[in-house]
Amino acid sequence: MNNIETIALPGTLWLASDVHLGPATPATAEAFTGFLEAAAAEADALLLPGDIFDAWIGDDVIRAAPPWLAQALQALKATAARIPVYLGRGNRDFLMGRELADALGARLLPDQALLQTDGGMVLLSHGDEYCTDDAAYQQFRAMVRDPRWQTQFLSMSIPERLQMAQQARGESMAANQAKTMEIMDVNAQAIETALRDSGVALMIHGHTHRPQRHVLSVDGRKCERWVLPDWDCDHGATRGGWLVIDADGPQMYDLDDAE
């Protein structure tokens, strides 16, 4: 991990992931739009490390975006016109690319990034690469991240890609029913290795939908791992939130704090 990209981001940073925007999440989209407006007014930069969209089948969908997507893109573009916005690829939207970023005026994050912040150095990623106990998922992840697979997938028509994405999602949900939460969570050794190799004491990721601040020791160094919350305002109790990093360090907020 010595060649990992470093991004200097002074000031107040806001981070959110796993919003899972889609046609069936209008209330979540409304909450996220409000969050974006607040970020544009209060933050110096916004980082969205993955799964902002519940599925992303290719950047060409923005050329004739359905209403729900057009509204989300408009809100993101308005935010990016006021503060730097960084997009990370998650396990649902790993096909986000340059066309989308350019259309929004946003910047793409590498899979892992070192952030030079006023609160210290931070290792940021979506987090799914650390779920190494889930061998089936890691095999799938390697396949869909292969440029050859992506080229073949993107050569299909949009309806064909949508059908494949829906089928894959159904199969994934069925497979997850048979997996324990421990298997789908990050692997402790993978986390320690990432912190050791990067040399930082603070890691931030999403993906697991298990928001929490974890304190651990790596080679005698006190380290922290902050897990970003997932969002859902459309199915039962409202979930969602974000992390703020400034000179005082990280602090978590939930959607109730925005009301």
Side-chain angles (χ1 to χ4, degrees):
M1 202 177 291
N2 294 332
N3 60 350
I4 190 169
E5 181 179 347
T6 299
I7 305 171
L9 290 172
T12 300
L13 313 179
W14 284 25
L15 301 94
S17 71
D18 298 278
V19 184
H20 297 285
L21 295 175
T25 58
T28 304
E30 182 179 1
F32 185 62
T33 297
F35 163 78
L36 292 176
E37 292 171 352
E42 301 178 33
D44 293 300
L46 173 65
L47 298 100
L48 304 171
D51 282 7
I52 297 306
F53 299 101
D54 196 48
W56 193 259
I57 61 169
D59 286 0
D60 54 340
V61 298
I62 70 176
R63 302 171 198 170
W68 73 267
L69 178 56
Q71 293 171 3
L73 297 177
Q74 182 180 8
L76 285 163
K77 185 174 182 178
T79 304
R82 298 177 63 185
I83 60 173
V85 173
Y86 292 82
L87 297 175
R89 302 173 181 90
N91 56 296
R92 302 281 190 86
D93 49 17
F94 55 86
L95 285 172
M96 291 193 302
R98 181 62 56 194
E99 182 177 352
L100 172 65
D102 290 347
L104 298 178
R107 311 169 197 195
L108 291 174
L109 286 168
D111 285 349
Q112 294 160 329
L114 286 173
L115 310 180
Q116 188 175 343
T117 80
D118 290 350
M121 295 295 292
V122 176
L123 176 61
L124 176 69
S125 72
H126 181 60
D128 57 329
E129 68 268 47
Y130 303 128
C131 299
T132 55
D133 291 331
D134 192 344
Y137 170 71
Q138 291 301 328
Q139 184 178 12
F140 171 81
R141 185 181 190 274
M143 178 185 73
V144 299
R145 297 276 180 144
D146 188 317
R148 294 168 297 180
W149 183 93
Q150 294 187 2
T151 297
Q152 182 178 5
F153 180 79
L154 293 172
S155 70
M156 300 177 182
S157 69
I158 288 178
E160 288 174 327
R161 281 180 267 158
L162 280 172
Q163 183 177 3
M164 280 192 64
Q166 291 168 355
Q167 180 181 349
R169 178 62 183 144
E171 292 173 353
S172 174
M173 292 178 66
N176 288 345
Q177 295 295 321
K179 297 176 182 177
T180 66
M181 289 299 296
E182 288 72 25
I183 287 177
M184 293 187 290
D185 203 353
V186 298
N187 173 276
Q189 188 61 51
I191 294 296
E192 289 186 12
T193 298
L195 286 167
R196 180 179 297 113
D197 290 350
S198 65
V200 306
L202 176 59
M203 168 189 283
I204 298 170
H205 68 82
H207 178 65
T208 64
H209 299 190
R210 303 176 79 175
Q212 185 68 46
R213 169 182 175 263
H214 300 269
V215 178
L216 62 155
S217 177
V218 178
D219 301 333
R221 292 187 301 126
K222 178 184 176 182
C223 297
E224 294 184 11
R225 176 172 68 91
W226 288 73
V227 185
L228 300 169
D230 64 308
W231 293 50
D232 188 350
C233 305
D234 294 274
H235 308 94
T238 295
R239 299 196 308 274
W242 68 98
L243 191 72
V244 173
I245 301 177
D246 56 21
D248 295 324
Q251 184 170 351
M252 195 86 79
Y253 294 86
D254 62 35
L255 286 179
D256 292 337
D257 297 317
E259 296 179 354

